[in-house]
Structures are given as C-alpha cells and as structure tokens.
Amino acid sequence: MVLAALSTSLRFSFPWFLLLLFLLPAVIWTGSKIRTLSRSRKWSVISIRSLIFLFIISALAGAEVVKRSDRLAVFFLLDGSDSVPERARESQVEWVKSVFKERASSRDEAGIIVFGEDSSIELGVAPKMNFGAIRSFVGGENTNAAQAIRLAMAAFPQGYMRRVVLVSDGNETIGSAVEEAKAARAAGAVVDVVPVYLEEGPEVMVREVYAPGAASIGEPFQLRVTVRSSRDCEATIRVFQRTSTGRRMLSPRRVTLQKGDNVFLLTQELKGTGFYEYEVIVETDSDKVKANNQGRAFTVARGEPQVLYVEVDESRGGRVDKVLTREGVKLVRAAPAEVPSDLAHLQAFDAIILSDVAANELDASQHAAIEVAVRDLGVGLVAVGGPNSFGAGGYLGSPIEKALPVDMDIQRRKTLPKGALVLIMHTCEIPSGNAWAREIGLAALNVLSAQDLMGMSGYMYNPGSLKSGDQWIFEIQPVRDKVEMRKAIIEGSAAIGDMPDVTPTLGMAYTALAKVDAAVKRVVIISDGDPAAPDPRILEKMNEAKISVSAVCIAPHGMSDQKMLRSIAEKTGGNYYFVNNANNLPLIYAKEASVVKRGVIQERVFKPAPNHGSELIADLDLDSMPSLRGYVITTAKENATVPLVSDEKDPILAHWRYGLGKSVAFTSDATGRWAADWLGWEDFGLFWTRAVRYVMRDSSRADFSVESFIKDGVGHVRVDAVDEQGKFVNYLKPKAVVTGPGPEYKRTSLQLSQTRPGVYEAAFPVESTGAYMINLAYQNQEGNVSTLTTGLAAGYSREYEYVSTNGANLEKIAAAGGGRVLEKGDSPFVHDLIATPGVTPIWQYLASLAVLMLPVEIFLRRVRIGPGEILASLERAPVVGGLARGWRKERADRATGTYEAAGDASREFGKERETPMVQKTIGPGAVETKGPSDKEQAERPSGPALGKTEYTSKLLEAKKRAADREKRSKPGGGKKEE
C-alpha cells in the first residue's frame, strides 16, 4: 500500500558527468596491484575506493531523489474584497471547514489564502485546519485574484497533486485571473471556482464626472454627470467646487433617476485662472453601497503664465519677487505649508521658485509632487540660495535634489568644512518610541554628507547581560558607509532603555566631540524629561568647546520635565522643541542635522567668474557684475551647464533639463546678507527675469481638443486635431506621459495611435483612486514641439461598481485552469490529478560521504593491528575490560601448562639416553670418571637427535620457499639461471 502511494526514483541534473564512470575499472585495477596487504584487506580497500569514486561522480552529476505521491494539496482562495459582503465571507469559511472535514482521504492537506488588493496566506498547507475567523488584512478596495493564484502556486509543497479553489464573486479590478489560471494549468495544477452569489438590491452609483481638461475664463462649459440606478427613484445631486482658496458647494439639484444610466449637464463658468476641482455626490434612500455615490473631475483655466513663489517670510525671501512683478511676471505667493502636495494643483503653475526654503519646511508629499511636476509636466523650478537652502537646508537625498542641476554631496571638494552631530536617544517610554528613534536617526543621517561626522548613543538595555547602561549605538565617525550606519541605527534602536540620568551620555558626547575637528558641533537629545538633570559642569564644558545641545521633549510627565530639557537647550545655545505629534520628529531631526551642515556655507567676499556660455548670462555686462558675500557649496551634476562659478570653482549659477522641465540653481542669495551689492546692479532684474522665463513651461500650446475619461476601469485619452481651416491634421504621432496619484506617482509612457482622420487615441490602466495627469507632446509641421496637459480623476475604485456575481468570468477562469465550477455538495478533494515530483538534492550528502570515507581507506592501507593490540585496547575499555583480562590470563595459564609438560617429556627422554658414568680410584683422594667412548656414542641409537635434524630440514625448506616467493614478486623475477 505504501509502495502504491509513493514512487521514488533517482535523477541527475548534469548527467554527462556520469560518463566518468567508465574510469571505475581503472580504479579497481590500481587497487588490485597492492601487494603488501592480505587478500581480505586488499578487497576492502578496493571496495571503499570504488564507493568514494561513485559518490564523487554522483555528486558532480547533481544527484536528486524524486518522489511522487498520491496525496492531494488544496489551496482555498477566499475573496476578501469589499464587493463581497461580510456575511458571504463568513459562509466561505464555514464551507471550507465542512468540505475539509468530509474529505475522502485523511492524508490530503489544505491551506487558505485570503485576497483583496493584496494576498496573504492565512493557513499554510497542513493535514489539519485549525483556525477561527480570518485575521489577514488584504485591503478591500480592489480585487487581485491573479496574485492569489500566483501566491498559491508558489506556496504548494512538492510531491503533491495540486488544486486551487477560487471562492469569489468573479469581479476583478487588478490583473487577469484567466491568464494566471492558464499558467497554473501549464505547471500541472488545476483551478476550480466556487461562485459567491451577491444579493440583488437597489443601487445608485456615479458612473462618470467629466469636465474639459482646460477651460477659458468667462466661457461656459458643461460639467457632465452620469448616474446609474437599478430602479426608478428620487435623488439629490450636490456639486462642490474646490480651488486654492477653499471649497464651496454649488446649488444642489433634485432629480428623478430612471433605471439605467442618467446623464445630467451642469453649466459652469470660471471667473479666474487656476485649478478647479469638482466633486459630485448623489444622495438617495434607494441605495446599498454608499462608497460609489461620488465622483470627481477637474479643469484648469489658463490665462497668462503664472509662477508659484514660495518663501518663509519676506526677510528670508529676498527681492526676486519684486523684480519679477515689476517685469510683468504673474506671481502667486505661498508659504511652504500652502504649497500643493498633488500634481493636479501644481500643474496650474508654469514655474515654481523656492527662495531660501529649508527642506524640512516642506513635507514628503510636497517634495515628491514638485519633483514629478518638473519631470512629467514640464513645470520649471528655480532654487534661490541662502543659509537655509541646498545642503545647508537639508536637501541631500531629497526628491527636489533630483530635479536640481547640483548635488548637495560635496565629497569631491579638496578642502571641506566638517560638521559633527551626536544623537542621544531616550525614547523607550514614548508610544512606539524606539521605532521613532530609528526613523529620526535615519532622517538625520540622510541629511549629512560624506565629510560630516555622526554618532548615536543611549541607555542600552540588554536583558540578562551585565552590559546594560549608557553606551554608543555607534561611535562618532565620518559618514561614509551609510549602509552600515543605517544597519547600526536599525539594530541599535530596538535596545534603547529607560535612561536614569542624562549626565553620562552628555559626558560621552562632550568627550567625543571635543576631539574632532569640525566647524559645527551639535548634540540632539530626545526624552520625556524624567531622567536626572545634568551636572552643570558638563554644560559649562560644552559651552567652552562650542558644542550646542538641542532638546526634543515628547510625552513628558509634567512641567518640571519640560523645564529640565528647555534649560539644557538654553544654556548651550541649542533649540528646544515640544512635540505633540510624533510624525513631526523626522522633520525636526532633519532640520537639526542641517544645522551641522552650516559648514558648507562660505561667507566671504568674492566675484563670480564666467565659466560656460549660456542664454541666462548672454548680453549681460559681466565686467560690472558685483561681488557676492557668501554661497552654499554644491557640486554640479554631470549634464548641467554652469555659467557662473566662485573663485574656488564651486557652482554659483547652474541649469539643466530634467525630464520635460528645466531647473535653475543659484547658490548665493538675493537678500542684503550675501547679495547686498547685487541689489543695486543694473542687470539684476534682467538676470532674474531671464532665469525664470527660461524654466517656465513651454507656452506653445496646441489648439487641439483633448478628452480623457475612464471606462470599465481603463483610462482613455483622445486628441481631435483640426487646424484653423477646419481640416484634419494627420500623421502627428503624439506621445504622452501619464502620472498616477501620489505618493507613488507611477509613470506610464503612451504612444497615441491614429484611429480616424485627425483622431488619436490611447488607453492606460487605472489601478487606484486619485488624479491622473496626462502630458502630451508632438512635433507640428513647422518642427516645433507643442504640448497639451490634461488629466482625469478616479473618484472611487471599480470594486464598488460591482453589485452582482460575474459568473461568466468565473467560468472562463475554470476553463483556463482545467477545473470545474463547484456548487454545494461538490468536493474539491478528488484524486484525478498528476502529482508533481518532489525533488530533494542529495549531491551534498554524497560528497560528504566521500570525504568521510577517505580516512577509512587510508587507515586500512597504512595501519596494521594484530590480536595483541586489539586485546590490549579491550582491556582498557570500561565495560569489557574485565572479560578481556580474564581471557588473557586463561591463555597464559594454558600456555604455562603446555610448557611444563614439554619440559617433563624432555627430561624423561634425556634419562633414557643417559649413559652411566664409570668411576675408578686411581690413588689416594683421586677418582677418575669415565663415560662411553666415542665409538660407543656413535653406535648408540639417536632418536631425539634425528628429530632435530628433521626439524632443521623443514625450516630450511620453508625459508627457501619464502625466498622464491619474494623473487617472483619482483619485476622481472623468475628462476635464477645457474
């Protein structure tokens, strides 16, 4: 029975190595030529050598054991998307439990995968199904059954028959389950489906909200709203208009919906330029799903080009805005917090100016949106320097740095000012505090460049160890290998404990910073304020060494805790921060790290020198160009143009093209601090006007109409090209870049195809809600590049469009996967599949056996052990030692008895041969003893003497035979000629 259930075979990954087995006879032959071993030992050595050879060849050939079993593995894929009601999800779980319990063979196994927008293994394939409610979170706004099938195929165990059971309503928003089912079938698995039947009910949904991508000021246009209803009913349509100044509701409209699609045209008229977003909400009592009752669209009213001017306050902003306004450039002023964080709002501007704005004054979404707006929408970017800009402002590694023509990392400069930063972490009492310690440590590290120094310390808690206490997470060192430092931050942050006193860690920071050569030395401590206050003497030493300490207070226990931390900052010249929201911590630490970067600021008088020809400085009176009093050190990027440099060849003015847009970097400022002499320069206004107009988005817009819309989850863009005479414009070959919603801003390139005279179309996937920006470009008949910018908005996921089961799609999935559509009573545990082989590599074990057997072969050839050595070893053994010693004594006794008997016989034999001695008196006191004569002795029988002769003869014959064998064993040996 076991043999029927399990089939095992051997196969080789590299079978051509098996040809080396033809050398096996040679291995046996060489072993047979060994002459110094007995026959049994010789063949033992030959056998071991042959096995070693076979194992090595099998290992080289990649030996594998292949097992096939009749056991069945089933993965149940449960639909956890929002289109499946909660009650239906619970019934899925109960059905799976029941069919598993009633399976025909107890040897079959099963697992569960839950899917929605993502997929998760709730229960791996196992012989038992021990689980209660579904715990996996997979996101319900989309359905990706294809990913679930792919995950199941990757998670199946080897050597089983494999079946996938998809339990779903058949509605998909991402991927193609049919294609994945085909791939699973090709891999030897079968995909069955179990329909989840959705209850029919009243449903109203907003199918589409359409507004033209661009509108003219004062000209009415139609906002088109399409509403689908499952039956006749009453509803109210509310329209909200959102602009940069706020959100307002337009007049609501009471309507009667008929079964099917209902189209409403709402007339709109724009009063000024800018970005306008429309949100439509339908309210009715005849509805089941509320998430699909809203839709969005937007349009842009274009007039003259406008520039977004960003500054913190006028004292830091400089004079660029006043010059540009005087030159007729339309500016929209904004504080950093007012900068749009999405592309839809940013695309209303043709250029953005950042005037001495620090990186931490913009959040992550604003950074990403500005970079993508330059790259994909052609929006220009001008960065005006100052003490809070570029590397000194913490832009190293930021998205905006990617768009600028200069790098903030200045490691290639020979003489480089350094900054030194030490972080002291007491975060264990903050909610998720040690995780925040990791984030703020990484945020500070990202700001620093290679020449700066950084260290991180805290009270480290190591359970069961004597090493707990104030320690370095990593000692102060140059920021060179950021990968290793990030690893140290991530690993060390987890062990931060409750600090009893800040004095030891401040002392460690002082000792380390006092030894380093750095232009700026900074310590940042984060705590809830409950450790003991520091020794005043350590703060005095820090003041003397010009080491400032900033304190970050979060989750204090009382006012006294805040006072302690505030006192540290005030006494050392640092900053004090009281934080209510932990999400602000990384920005604070990036700002503090940028203080260390003050070493990249050069404050001295110099005159910019021309370096490269550029349209930005053409026709300017460079000889009369005044001196500047400072700048931020940067490094020009490889493809950037650098028209002006400092006396040390650092970039002062640089520009380049980034994607569809352009950017300019001016590393000095436009205020009285560094550019006091420039403010009175006669070409000052021309210089800045030319720089801003250079980066502004191309104003050569086409007059063609562009339409974009979403249909069945797919975005469509269509261009109607008609010239001024009303003729179709053909063969344009327009291209488009579609940028999806943030924060990912997924980028898709499109090539529009001409479908009819003057009509060009393309489609792209819509996978998430939000605004999709479309930037089209084509070359007109004059050879100029014209652009069109439009977009569309996905108000809600397609998941909420589905209110019924898609049985047709489920049947396609089952057909593609070679499976069945299962209903109640059908069991998926049917043994009608072919088991996939379970492959186990064994070459490594064979190689190990060959290595282990080699010493055995050498031992048999080189070492000879007699019975005496074996007996002596046994005598020393703890268990059998006594028996061995008794055996040896018994043998010795027997040998002694034999020798004594032989002695008695010899003496008896001697008596028989003894000749009587004759004594004769030859005088007084003299006696003569006389034995037999020589003649008598010779004539006497000599039995024992004859025995001795026979023994000697036999001994001589044996020696002769041994000599003959030795002679024959030598090469060329044989009978010696006489």
Side-chain angles (χ1 to χ4, degrees):
M1 184 174 180
V2 175
L3 293 176
L6 183 65
S7 174
T8 305
S9 60
L10 184 68
R11 76 179 187 187
F12 300 93
S13 300
F14 312 104
W16 52 86
F17 277 105
L18 297 178
L19 296 174
L20 296 175
L21 291 176
F22 288 110
L23 299 177
L24 182 59
V27 175
I28 298 173
W29 180 79
T30 56
S32 66
K33 303 303 291 181
I34 302 175
R35 298 296 183 186
T36 58
L37 302 177
S38 65
R39 183 180 182 84
S40 60
R41 294 180 67 193
K42 180 191 298 185
W43 282 106
S44 297
V45 170
I46 291 173
S47 300
I48 293 177
R49 281 188 177 183
S50 300
L51 287 175
I52 292 173
F53 181 77
L54 289 172
F55 289 162
I56 292 175
I57 299 305
S58 299
L60 290 174
E64 299 173 334
V65 174
V66 182
K67 296 181 180 180
R68 292 180 183 271
S69 172
D70 66 347
R71 301 175 69 179
L72 176 63
V74 178
F75 251 126
F76 294 94
L77 313 185
L78 306 185
D79 193 339
S81 64
D82 288 348
S83 63
V84 178
E86 185 65 30
R87 186 169 56 183
R89 297 182 204 173
E90 294 173 356
S91 65
Q92 292 178 31
V93 174
E94 296 303 320
W95 178 80
V96 170
K97 289 181 178 180
S98 65
V99 296
F100 181 79
K101 184 177 180 180
E102 297 171 0
R103 68 192 190 279
S105 173
S106 61
R107 301 176 67 250
D108 294 340
E109 301 181 10
I112 294 177
I113 291 177
V114 184
F115 68 94
E117 189 168 349
D118 299 307
S119 300
S120 175
I121 299 178
E122 179 74 19
L123 180 68
V125 171
K128 295 183 179 181
M129 189 166 285
N130 297 324
F131 80 103
I134 297 297
R135 302 295 182 187
S136 299
F137 177 77
V138 291
E141 291 191 358
N142 285 288
T143 301
N144 192 346
Q147 185 189 67
I149 297 175
R150 190 162 54 247
L151 177 60
M153 293 302 298
F156 269 122
Q158 291 185 351
Y160 286 66
M161 295 183 289
R162 298 175 295 174
R163 187 185 302 277
V164 176
V165 180
L166 176 65
V167 185
S168 173
D169 61 3
N171 297 308
E172 296 180 86
T173 61
I174 302 176
S176 173
V178 171
E179 296 301 321
E180 287 299 330
K182 291 179 181 178
R185 183 58 177 156
V190 166
V191 180
D192 292 341
V193 298
V194 177
V196 175
Y197 295 103
L198 303 180
E199 297 179 0
E200 298 289 342
E203 183 59 36
V204 173
M205 68 177 69
V206 177
R207 291 282 292 163
E208 181 189 19
V209 178
Y210 172 77
S216 300
I217 298 174
E219 293 184 7
F221 66 90
Q222 299 295 331
L223 180 68
R224 187 174 70 234
V225 180
T226 303
V227 181
R228 175 175 293 179
S229 178
S230 62
R231 64 180 184 179
D232 297 346
C233 62
E234 299 294 321
T236 301
I237 298 178
R238 301 185 186 277
V239 180
F240 296 88
Q241 185 187 75
R242 187 192 304 272
T243 64
S244 58
T245 59
R247 178 174 182 258
R248 68 187 184 96
M249 184 178 71
L250 306 181
S251 299
R253 183 172 176 178
R254 189 71 179 173
V255 297
T256 299
L257 300 178
Q258 298 179 345
K259 183 177 181 180
D261 287 343
N262 301 261
V263 179
F264 303 96
L265 299 177
L266 309 177
T267 303
Q268 303 292 313
E269 183 177 337
L270 305 180
K271 302 297 184 180
T273 61
F275 174 85
Y276 293 83
E277 180 180 9
Y278 291 93
E279 181 181 6
V280 177
I281 298 177
V282 176
E283 299 175 351
T284 180
D285 296 331
S286 303
D287 199 15
K288 182 176 65 174
V289 179
K290 299 297 183 182
N292 57 17
N293 287 18
Q294 61 180 353
R296 294 195 305 160
F298 60 84
T299 187
V300 177
R302 294 199 179 278
E304 58 181 317
Q306 53 183 4
V307 176
L308 180 64
Y309 184 82
V310 185
E311 64 179 4
V312 177
D313 54 57
E314 291 188 2
S315 62
R316 283 171 51 178
R319 303 293 183 269
V320 175
D321 56 336
K322 299 176 177 60
V323 170
L324 294 176
T325 302
R326 191 165 56 245
E327 294 292 332
V329 177
K330 185 177 180 180
L331 294 182
V332 177
R333 291 175 173 82
E338 299 170 337
V339 174
S341 57
D342 62 275
L343 292 182
H345 287 80
L346 278 179
Q347 64 96 29
F349 302 100
D350 295 280
I352 302 170
I353 300 175
L354 300 177
S355 183
D356 194 25
V357 177
N360 68 288
E361 290 170 328
L362 299 169
D363 62 30
S365 60
Q366 291 171 319
H367 273 272
I370 291 173
E371 185 258 333
V372 175
V374 177
R375 184 192 68 191
D376 294 345
L377 303 184
V379 177
L381 175 63
V382 176
V384 184
N388 304 284
S389 64
F390 301 109
Y395 280 91
L396 179 64
S398 67
I400 290 178
E401 184 196 22
K402 296 178 183 179
L404 292 175
V406 292
D407 278 327
M408 312 308 147
D409 193 347
I410 52 176
Q411 57 185 347
R412 288 171 287 184
R413 202 170 189 269
K414 293 181 180 180
T415 304
L416 212 56
K418 299 178 182 179
L421 176 68
V422 172
L423 306 182
I424 299 177
M425 299 296 185
H426 177 216
T427 53
C428 66
E429 293 185 292
I430 306 169
S432 302
N434 287 354
W436 281 114
R438 179 187 68 241
E439 296 301 321
I440 60 185
L442 295 175
L445 178 63
N446 288 338
V447 172
L448 302 180
S449 55
Q451 83 282 357
D452 297 316
L453 300 102
M454 180 177 174
M456 188 172 175
S457 66
Y459 184 89
M460 311 307 292
Y461 176 65
N462 299 299
S465 172
L466 298 177
K467 296 182 179 179
S468 296
D470 299 287
Q471 301 173 25
W472 288 103
I473 296 175
F474 60 90
E475 294 189 17
I476 190 166
Q477 57 189 279
V479 181
R480 289 173 183 158
D481 190 350
K482 285 193 175 184
V483 174
E484 286 299 318
M485 297 183 80
R486 288 189 184 100
K487 182 179 179 181
I489 291 172
I490 292 171
E491 294 177 353
S493 298
I496 296 173
D498 192 8
M499 183 185 298
D501 189 353
V502 298
T503 301
T505 48
L506 285 175
M508 292 164 53
Y510 165 75
T511 303
L513 290 172
K515 296 177 181 178
V516 302
D517 179 20
V520 179
K521 301 177 182 181
R522 192 80 157 190
V523 177
V524 183
I525 179 172
I526 179 172
S527 174
D528 61 358
D530 68 351
D535 188 332
R537 290 174 294 181
I538 191 65
L539 300 181
E540 293 175 2
K541 290 181 179 180
M542 286 185 157
N543 268 327
E544 294 173 359
K546 296 183 179 179
I547 301 172
S548 57
V549 182
S550 290
V552 180
C553 182
I554 183 169
H557 301 289
M559 289 299 298
S560 60
D561 297 337
Q562 295 188 51
K563 290 179 180 179
M564 187 272 287
L565 293 172
R566 186 191 299 272
S567 175
I568 293 175
E570 292 175 349
K571 291 179 179 179
T572 59
N575 297 321
Y576 172 75
Y577 304 91
F578 178 71
V579 180
N580 288 316
N581 185 356
N583 291 316
N584 294 327
L585 288 174
L587 293 177
I588 291 173
Y589 272 76
K591 178 181 179 180
E592 286 298 314
S594 66
V595 172
V596 173
K597 298 290 295 177
R598 297 301 190 206
V600 300
I601 295 176
Q602 293 283 297
E603 290 195 289
R604 52 186 175 77
V605 178
F606 71 96
K607 184 174 182 179
N611 179 68
H612 193 283
S614 169
E615 60 186 284
L616 269 64
I617 61 173
D619 302 327
L620 295 181
D621 187 0
L622 301 181
D623 293 334
S624 65
M625 181 182 295
S627 297
L628 292 169
R629 302 180 183 182
Y631 67 98
V632 180
I633 303 172
T634 59
T635 302
K637 292 181 179 175
E638 185 176 353
N639 297 323
T641 300
V642 185
L644 298 176
V645 296
S646 70
D647 53 347
E648 295 189 5
K649 304 300 181 182
D650 295 318
I652 298 300
L653 176 66
H655 61 84
W656 75 338
R657 176 173 287 277
Y658 181 69
L660 299 178
K662 302 174 184 176
S663 64
V664 168
F666 185 72
T667 61
S668 187
D669 71 356
T671 70
R673 178 169 180 170
W674 291 346
D677 299 331
W678 269 50
L679 297 178
W681 182 33
E682 60 181 6
D683 286 337
F684 181 78
L686 178 61
F687 174 83
W688 283 111
T689 303
R690 185 175 290 178
V692 173
R693 293 195 184 279
Y694 165 78
V695 302
M696 289 176 68
R697 184 164 43 190
D698 187 5
S699 60
S700 57
R701 305 284 195 269
D703 293 327
F704 303 155
S705 64
V706 182
E707 183 180 8
S708 57
F709 57 92
I710 298 175
K711 184 177 181 180
D712 297 328
V714 177
H716 296 266
V717 57
R718 183 172 64 201
V719 177
D720 292 319
V722 181
D723 62 15
E724 295 178 354
Q725 287 76 34
K727 297 180 180 180
F728 296 121
V729 180
N730 300 317
Y731 315 115
L732 288 178
K733 297 181 179 180
K735 296 181 179 180
V737 174
V738 180
T739 306
E744 295 85 6
Y745 293 112
K746 184 177 179 181
R747 195 167 183 253
T748 304
S749 297
L750 300 179
Q751 176 68 63
L752 276 70
S753 301
Q754 185 168 358
T755 57
R756 297 191 300 274
V759 178
Y760 304 86
E761 294 181 284
F764 56 91
V766 176
E767 298 179 349
S768 57
T769 60
Y772 288 78
M773 300 306 305
I774 306 169
N775 195 79
L776 297 104
Y778 68 92
Q779 192 171 19
N780 58 27
Q781 296 177 352
E782 290 76 22
N784 299 322
V785 176
S786 296
T787 60
L788 290 165
T789 301
T790 184
L792 53 83
Y796 57 86
S797 171
R798 289 180 61 213
E799 185 69 26
Y800 304 113
E801 293 181 7
Y802 301 123
V803 293
S804 62
T805 301
N806 192 340
N809 189 43
L810 290 174
E811 291 178 358
K812 290 179 182 179
I813 295 171
R820 303 168 295 161
V821 178
L822 303 179
E823 299 292 345
K824 289 185 177 180
D826 296 335
S827 174
F829 292 96
V830 180
H831 289 233
D832 56 355
L833 308 177
I834 299 175
T836 57
V839 180
T840 304
I842 62 171
W843 63 266
Q844 62 271 37
Y845 305 113
L846 296 176
S848 301
L849 282 174
V851 172
L852 293 174
M853 293 179 70
L854 183 61
V856 178
E857 190 270 347
I858 296 173
F859 183 84
L860 286 175
R861 284 192 294 108
R862 297 294 185 185
V863 181
R864 182 172 183 175
I865 301 177
E869 288 82 357
I870 296 175
L871 188 59
S873 298
L874 291 174
E875 289 178 1
R876 292 190 294 269
V879 178
V880 298
L883 295 175
R885 286 190 292 272
W887 185 53
R888 178 185 286 274
K889 186 176 183 301
E890 182 180 348
R891 288 188 59 196
D893 292 342
R894 286 201 301 268
T896 302
T898 303
Y899 295 150
E900 289 176 354
D904 294 342
S906 178
R907 287 191 292 274
E908 187 67 25
F909 179 74
K911 290 179 180 179
E912 293 177 357
R913 295 191 59 201
E914 184 178 356
T915 303
M917 305 299 293
V918 181
Q919 295 183 349
K920 181 180 179 182
T921 302
I922 60 174
V927 180
E928 180 183 1
T929 302
K930 185 178 180 180
S933 63
D934 293 339
K935 183 178 180 180
E936 291 175 341
Q937 185 69 25
E939 291 176 353
R940 185 181 296 276
S942 54
L946 288 174
K948 183 177 182 181
T949 303
E950 292 174 1
Y951 174 78
T952 304
S953 300
K954 291 180 179 180
L955 181 60
L956 291 173
E957 289 176 2
K959 291 180 66 178
K960 185 178 180 180
R961 286 195 301 270
D964 289 341
R965 285 197 301 270
E966 184 177 357
K967 187 189 299 181
R968 285 194 299 269
S969 67
K970 294 181 180 179
K975 195 171 183 181
K976 186 177 181 182
E977 296 182 0
E978 295 183 358

